[in-house]
């Protein structure tokens, strides 16, 4: 998954639940982008990532904005078809208000699903909260089923990345939206300020400007099963992106597609 921030900000995931749901590999076709198989995260530490930020970000490796607290609780979901170059792209986008009340990062199948290395479909995992919208989020080891990255579910720390750096999407306990990189100590001893948190790959848009090329430099170069981060970012495939708009609403964009198929 990748991240965006601001027109907001956006992150790219291969697929967000509003779940940390590891798909049952037996039910998957061969058409999916696989996550890390070696080190999950950047080869840089948090201090290096902070110091490497472009000057106009003043060394701040993340963005935090107040969320929209509109009383509209059901997500707005719209399908679209757009022409990009000489081909058409199909997908849908969802706009979610008041994320502190409406969004949960759920473990696969049940509480404790990550520790048990359970592999479960999004549809089945979504029944934990009777989700109106559920998408796959976060990465897992395709060989063992283990969840990867920093994960916080409903205020409970599920998994600690051990300080490895990748971009994150989160909802803080005061309802703000978090996008970007964070230090290990922020969740090492518990969920910290986060009510929900999930790790992705790639920060696409930051404050309305492209950040993807800089993000490729910050994040790990050679540890994905699919190939390098460069290949992961550029390969044609189904995609899911999560972020927020300038009004503080969470935006989820899902693109239909098939890996390597330019049709």
């Amino acid at each position: 998954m990748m991240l965006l921030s601001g027109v907001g900000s956006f992150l790219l995931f291969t697929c967000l639940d509003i779940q940390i749901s590891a798909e049952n590999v037996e039910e998957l076709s061969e058409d999916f982008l696989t996550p890390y198989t070696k080190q999950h995260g950047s080869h840089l530490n948090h201090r290096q990532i902070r110091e490497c930020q472009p000057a106009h970000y003043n060394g701040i490796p993340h963005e935090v904005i107040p969320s929209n607290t509109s009383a509209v609780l059901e997500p707005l979901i719209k399908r679209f078809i757009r022409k990009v170059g000489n081909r058409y792209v199909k997908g849908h986008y969802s706009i979610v208000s008041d994320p502190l009340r409406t969004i949960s990062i759920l473990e696969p199948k049940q509480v404790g699903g990550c520790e048990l290395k359970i592999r479960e479909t999004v549809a089945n995992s979504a029944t934990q909260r009777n989700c109106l919208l559920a998408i796959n989020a976060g990465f897992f080891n395709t060989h063992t089923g283990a969840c990867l990255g920093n994960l916080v579910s409903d205020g409970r720390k599920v998994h600690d990345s051990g300080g490895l750096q990748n971009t994150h999407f989160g909802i803080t306990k005061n309802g703000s939206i978090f996008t970007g990189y964070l230090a290990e100590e922020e969740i090492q001893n518990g969920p910290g300020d986060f009510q929900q948190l999930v790790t992705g790959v790639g920060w696409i848009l930051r404050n309305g400007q492209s950040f993807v090329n800089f993000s490729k430099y910050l994040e790990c170069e050679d540890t994905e099963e699919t190939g390098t981060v460069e290949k992961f970012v550029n390969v044609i495939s189904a995609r899911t992106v999560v972020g927020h708009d300038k009004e503080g609403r969470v935006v989820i964009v899902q693109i239909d597609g098939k890996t390597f198929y330019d049709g």
Side-chain angles (χ1 to χ4, degrees):
M1 162 171 125
M2 280 170 118
L3 289 176
L4 318 187
S5 169
V7 133
S9 294
F10 283 82
L11 302 176
L12 169 67
F13 290 74
T14 41
C15 4
L16 169 72
D17 230 25
I18 311 193
Q19 301 196 96
I20 309 162
S21 186
E23 292 280 0
N24 187 329
V25 174
E26 294 179 357
E27 296 183 15
L28 290 173
S29 69
E30 294 181 355
D31 180 37
F32 67 104
L33 296 184
T34 50
Y36 295 101
T37 184
K38 301 176 186 176
Q39 171 179 307
H40 177 259
S42 175
H43 58 290
L44 303 178
N45 60 39
H46 187 70
R47 178 179 178 181
Q48 290 171 312
I49 283 182
R50 186 176 64 245
E51 291 176 347
C52 287
Q53 297 296 308
H56 61 277
Y57 290 121
N58 297 316
I60 300 174
H62 57 259
E63 303 286 343
V64 181
I65 71 157
S67 64
N68 184 297
T69 55
S70 166
V72 178
L73 298 183
E74 292 191 4
L76 171 66
I77 303 173
K78 290 189 175 183
R79 293 199 60 82
F80 63 84
I81 300 177
R82 295 286 187 273
K83 189 172 184 180
V84 179
N86 60 356
R87 62 191 180 92
Y88 288 91
V89 175
K90 296 185 295 182
H92 64 271
Y93 67 90
S94 307
I95 299 176
V96 184
S97 298
D98 203 358
L100 184 62
R101 295 176 60 195
T102 59
I103 290 180
S104 289
I105 304 295
L106 302 178
E107 295 183 71
K109 190 176 181 178
Q110 63 189 50
V111 172
C114 282
E115 183 178 1
L116 296 173
K117 300 180 181 179
I118 293 175
R119 305 186 190 197
E120 186 55 88
T121 63
V122 169
N124 288 339
S125 295
T127 61
Q128 297 175 74
R129 288 287 188 278
N130 296 317
C131 298
L132 295 175
L133 169 68
I135 60 177
N136 198 24
F139 289 102
F140 66 98
N141 186 307
T142 59
H143 303 289
T144 68
C147 295
L148 299 173
N150 292 312
L151 302 173
V152 175
S153 174
D154 293 336
R156 176 178 51 86
K157 187 177 83 168
V158 173
H159 192 266
D160 185 337
S161 75
L164 298 176
Q165 293 291 318
N166 265 48
T167 192
H168 296 77
F169 176 82
I171 309 298
T172 66
K173 291 178 179 178
N174 68 2
S176 296
I177 299 171
F178 176 97
T179 309
Y181 304 93
L182 59 114
E184 165 68 2
E185 57 267 23
E186 294 186 62
I187 65 165
Q188 188 174 36
N189 297 318
D193 294 329
F194 292 101
Q195 184 68 13
Q196 316 289 343
L197 184 70
V198 64
T199 302
V201 174
W203 195 345
I204 300 174
L205 186 68
R206 183 174 183 180
N207 290 333
Q209 297 181 337
S210 175
F211 199 71
V212 65
N213 288 330
F214 191 78
S215 183
K216 285 189 297 185
Y217 163 72
L218 293 178
E219 301 198 14
C220 192
E221 290 291 331
D222 57 3
T223 58
E224 294 197 33
E225 294 179 25
T226 304
T228 64
V229 166
E230 180 76 29
K231 182 177 181 180
F232 178 85
V233 168
N234 290 297
V235 65
I236 293 173
S237 184
R239 297 289 196 178
T240 296
V241 175
V242 60
H244 64 81
D245 63 14
K246 62 183 179 181
E247 297 177 29
R249 301 176 300 180
V250 172
V251 180
I252 300 165
V253 181
Q254 294 176 280
I255 304 296
D256 299 336
K258 184 176 182 180
T259 306
F260 303 119
Y261 178 68
D262 187 11

